[in-house]
C-alpha cells in the first residue's frame, strides 16, 4: 500500500487475516508523515507493517534516523523492506540498500527483520552480475548483523524464469525465505503498463500461459494459473522456504477478496 491507501486498508480489513505482512511504499510524492501514518494504520488494524526504506532517496543519515525514529515511536519499526530506489544518482550517502543495512542504524531502532529485492527476470537498468553480487552481499550482511530477512521478488507472469532464478539463488548458498511477487487481479491494460515499467516479460506466449491476451486489453486478469503452476513445481528440498507476495495493482480490497475466494488459499 501507499500512504494514500489508509482508507482502502480499512475497507479491506475484514478480508485480510490478522498478522498479515503489509508493505508500505516509499514514494517521492509522499512525506514522512504520510508514510508513518500508513505504517501505524497497518499496525492498528492488526497487521504487520513493513515500511519501505528507499536508499537513494535519502539525503542524509539524519533523514534515515528521523524516519526510523518516527516508525519506532508508533511501534512500526520491527520489519522493514530496504530497496535501492529509482533515482539513478543517490541524493545522499546511501548508494544502495546494502549501504543502509551496513549503517547500523536499523538495529538501533528495533529493526529485527529486513526484506530485500530479487529479480527473476533481471532489472532494466542493472546487469545480472551486479544483481547477483548485490543479493549475495545483502544476504551475508544480514547474517553478519544478526538480522532475519527475506527476499521479495518483482512480479511476473511466467513461472519458468522464477524457478531458474530460484535454483540459482539456492545454489549460491542464499537460504533466505523467498516471496514470489504476484500481481493481484487487475485490468489487463494496467498489468501490462506495470510490466513494461519494471522490465517484466509480456510476450504473447507468456500472456497466454498466464491467462490473458495482449491483443485484447479489455477485462481483468487474476494470477490463478501462475499460482497453480508455482505450487505444482515447488519442491521444498530444492527451492527452500517459498511464499507469495501480492502486488495490489487492482486495489487492496479486490486483491484481499480474491485471495479469500481462491480455492485452498488458507493452505
Amino acid at each position: 500500500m501507499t500512504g494514500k491507501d489508509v482508507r482502502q486498508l480499512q475497507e479491506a480489513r475484514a478480508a485480510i487475516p490478522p498478522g498479515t505482512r503489509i508493505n508500505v511504499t516509499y514514494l517521492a510524492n509522499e512525506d514522512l508523515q504520510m508514510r508513518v501514518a500508513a505504517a501505524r494504520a497497518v499496525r492498528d488494524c492488526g497487521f504487520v507493517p513493513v515500511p519501505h526504506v528507499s536508499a537513494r532517496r535519502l539525503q542524509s543519515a539524519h533523514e534515515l534516523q528521523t524516519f526510523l525514529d518516527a516508525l519506532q515511536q508508533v511501534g512500526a519499526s520491527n520489519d522493514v523492506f530496504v530497496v535501492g530506489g529509482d533515482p539513478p544518482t543517490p541524493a545522499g550517502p546511501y548508494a544502495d540498500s546494502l549501504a543502509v543495512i551496513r549503517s547500523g542504524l536499523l538495529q538501533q531502532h528495533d529493526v529485527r527483520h529486513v526484506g530485500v529485492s530479487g529479480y527473476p527476470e533481471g532489472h532494466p537498468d542493472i546487469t545480472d552480475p551486479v544483481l547477483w553480487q548485490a543479493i549475495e552481499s545483502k544476504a551475508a550482511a544480514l547474517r553478519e548483523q544478526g538480522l532475519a530477512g527475506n527476499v521479495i521478488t518483482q512480479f511476473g507472469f511466467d513461472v519458468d524464469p522464477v524457478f531458474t532464478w530460484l535454483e540459482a539463488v539456492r545454489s549460491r548458498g542464499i537460504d533466505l525465505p523467498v516471496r514470489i511477487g504476484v500481481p493481484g487481479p487487475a485490468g489487463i491494460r494496467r498489468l501490462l503498463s506495470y510490466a513494461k515499467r519494471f522490465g517484466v516479460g509480456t510476450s504473447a506466449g507468456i500472456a497466454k500461459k498466464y491467462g490473458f491476451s495482449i491483443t485484447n486489453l479489455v477485462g481483468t486478469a487474476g494470477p490463478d494459473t501462475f499460482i497453480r503452476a508455482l505450487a505444482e513445481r515447488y519442491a521444498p528440498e530444492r527451492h527452500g522456504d517459498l511464499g507469495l507476495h501480492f502486488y495490489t495493482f487492482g486495489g487492496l480490497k479486490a486483491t484481499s477478496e480474491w485471495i479469500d475466494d481462491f480455492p485452498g488459499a488458507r493452505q
Side-chain angles (χ1 to χ4, degrees), residues 136 139 143 168-176:
E136 289 175 336
R143 284 196 302 271
V169 166
R170 299 313 185 200
S171 73
R172 284 170 163 78
I174 300 169
D175 59 1
L176 293 171

Side-chain angles (χ1 to χ4, degrees), residues 137-186:
S137 297
K138 285 182 280 191
L142 292 176
R143 284 196 302 271
E144 291 165 3
Q145 300 200 29
L147 291 167
N150 67 6
V151 180
I152 297 177
T153 77
Q154 70 192 144
F155 74 93
F157 303 118
D158 186 2
V159 299
D160 290 342
V162 169
F163 281 106
T164 299
W165 173 85
L166 189 58
E167 291 181 7
V169 166
R170 299 313 185 200
S171 73
R172 284 170 163 78
I174 300 169
D175 59 1
L176 293 171
V178 173
R179 301 294 172 254
I180 302 301
V182 178

Side-chain angles (χ1 to χ4, degrees), residues 54-215:
S54 183
R56 286 193 289 274
R57 292 193 187 281
L58 295 166
Q59 298 183 27
S60 65
H62 177 72
E63 183 177 358
L64 173 58
Q65 186 158 357
T66 299
F67 182 42
L68 294 172
D69 280 341
L71 292 173
Q72 189 176 27
Q73 289 171 16
V74 300
S77 65
N78 284 0
D79 296 71
V80 298
F81 178 79
V82 185
V83 64
D86 294 332
T89 302
Y94 305 109
D96 51 31
S97 54
L98 181 61
V100 173
I101 293 171
R102 286 176 170 167
S103 72
L105 290 174
L106 300 180
Q107 298 95 316
Q108 293 176 25
H109 294 83
D110 293 335
V111 174
R112 297 293 178 263
H113 186 283
V114 179
V116 297
S117 300
Y119 299 93
E121 296 189 43
H123 190 288
D125 300 317
I126 307 174
T127 65
D128 285 349
V130 173
L131 287 175
W132 283 119
Q133 182 180 23
I135 194 170
E136 289 175 336
S137 297
K138 285 182 280 191
L142 292 176
R143 284 196 302 271
E144 291 165 3
Q145 300 200 29
L147 291 167
N150 67 6
V151 180
I152 297 177
T153 77
Q154 70 192 144
F155 74 93
F157 303 118
D158 186 2
V159 299
D160 290 342
V162 169
F163 281 106
T164 299
W165 173 85
L166 189 58
E167 291 181 7
V169 166
R170 299 313 185 200
S171 73
R172 284 170 163 78
I174 300 169
D175 59 1
L176 293 171
V178 173
R179 301 294 172 254
I180 302 301
V182 178
I188 295 171
R189 192 181 300 274
R190 172 172 286 190
L191 289 175
L192 293 176
S193 173
Y194 278 106
K196 181 178 180 180
R197 176 181 173 187
F198 294 112
V200 175
T202 55
S203 69
I206 291 172
K208 185 177 180 181
K209 287 168 65 175
Y210 191 81
F212 65 85
S213 170
I214 61 175
T215 61

